[in-house]
Amino acid sequence: MTRSAAFYSDALESTVNVAAAMIAMAAIRFAARPPDANHPYGHDKVEFFAAVIEGVLIIVAALLIFEHAWETWLTPRAIGLPIQGIVVNAVATVLNGAWCAVLIRYGKRLRSPALAADGWHLLADVVTSVGIAIGVGLVVLTGYLPLDPLLAAATGVYVLWSGAHMISSSVGGLMDAAPQPAVVHRVRELVADSAAGAIEAHDLRMRHAGKLTFLEFHLVVPGSMTVAASHAICDHIEETLRHDMPHLMITIHVEPEEKAKQHGVPVL
Ligand code: ZN
Ligand code: ZN
């Protein structure tokens, strides 16, 4: 309608967003499935897969935007119907703004990386849409046509960056990256505080998968301690940790002091 490369790039990006949101929705439904024989640790990691696919889609959109911007740069054309174009863009921007607030809030509350990623992505889109509307307004006011493909190219750079960011942040989850150092520190503190009766805890490892975080460590107890007594210590540690972090999946390996083999930094 407006023949503007900048508006076209914004529209292309929105189209990809719809596809990305559909992928995210399918991923969230799949992730909600309970563990089964094939996936005894649950299906949460599918959300990271989905975010990587979304990132690839977004990068394809960026390449299409660059192509269109280049074409418009070579053959500049006057922008038509600017008021209607800006109004359509403004309505879409307001809708997007309201929606991204909802997505970010629920993404945080439900600890869903796919949902939160969608929300943050949409927030950045709202900012670019405002920038594009101002830019197209300037093109119309000044008659400086090359600004239009330049705006489109800038949008392409932003879209490329957001796709790359989405991929890199999800690869961490696929690679079993550790949680934030503050979370690991808190877990070590809680283990140290709640392991009365045990001698040492070591080889503590954590990895996160969607809304779940897996924790495992070795607990050294006196060799003469009964199985029942050492299990009671484990239960107490697990209870303390889950009280603070309900999404923790905990495995504790108990060993007698004379057999203790240590690889990591001791916790106790
Ligand atoms: Zn048990
Ligand atoms: Zn050990």
Side-chain angles (χ1 to χ4, degrees):
M1 194 164 75
T2 63
R3 289 193 298 276
S4 157
F7 276 161
Y8 178 83
S9 66
D10 207 18
L12 200 60
E13 215 241 332
S14 293
T15 309
V16 170
N17 281 346
V18 175
M22 286 165 81
I23 294 171
M25 187 171 74
I28 287 167
R29 298 187 96 175
F30 192 79
R33 289 190 189 182
D36 54 31
N38 276 337
H39 303 93
Y41 292 89
H43 300 85
D44 297 270
K45 280 207 173 184
V46 75
E47 289 194 29
F48 293 118
F49 264 116
V52 169
I53 295 167
E54 285 173 49
V56 171
L57 268 183
I58 288 164
I59 286 172
V60 169
L63 298 178
L64 290 174
I65 288 169
F66 286 136
E67 193 208 359
H68 194 77
W70 180 241
E71 221 171 81
T72 313
W73 176 261
L74 294 178
T75 51
R77 50 206 169 197
I79 292 174
L81 298 168
I83 299 301
Q84 287 92 324
I86 289 168
V87 167
V88 169
N89 208 36
V91 170
T93 303
V94 169
L95 285 174
N96 274 342
W99 189 229
C100 81
V102 173
L103 283 174
I104 292 171
R105 186 172 328 139
Y106 277 85
K108 271 189 184 154
R109 188 183 297 171
L110 305 173
R111 296 189 18 141
S112 156
L115 210 57
D118 242 30
W120 287 112
H121 177 73
L122 207 55
L123 181 67
D125 287 355
V126 171
V127 176
T128 30
S129 291
V130 171
I132 286 169
I134 292 169
V136 172
L138 281 176
V139 173
V140 173
L141 284 177
T142 63
Y144 182 64
L145 295 181
L147 181 60
D148 183 46
L150 286 177
L151 275 171
T155 308
V157 170
Y158 153 68
V159 171
L160 193 65
W161 175 83
S162 71
H165 176 74
M166 193 178 258
I167 291 175
S168 70
S169 62
S170 298
V171 164
L174 287 175
M175 289 296 294
D176 282 340
Q180 298 293 316
V183 175
V184 180
H185 184 75
R186 179 85 187 118
V187 165
R188 296 179 78 94
E189 266 181 359
L190 287 172
V191 171
D193 287 351
S194 60
I199 295 165
E200 187 186 83
H202 59 242
D203 291 11
L204 187 143
R205 291 193 296 178
M206 292 176 81
R207 62 192 173 91
H208 70 96
K211 61 183 188 297
L212 295 181
T213 303
F214 293 89
L215 161 69
E216 57 185 68
F217 61 89
H218 297 186
L219 188 73
V220 182
V221 298
S224 58
M225 187 182 265
T226 62
V227 174
S230 62
H231 184 255
I233 297 173
C234 292
D235 274 356
H236 181 61
I237 297 172
E238 287 177 22
E239 218 172 275
T240 310
L241 285 168
R242 285 220 188 86
H243 181 73
D244 223 54
M245 306 171 189
H247 300 284
L248 219 49
M249 307 294 283
I250 308 160
T251 309
I252 307 173
H253 171 79
V254 174
E255 33 188 43
E257 67 195 298
E258 58 274 18
K259 295 270 182 187
K261 276 190 203 128
Q262 187 181 312
H263 304 287
V265 184
V267 179
L268 293 177

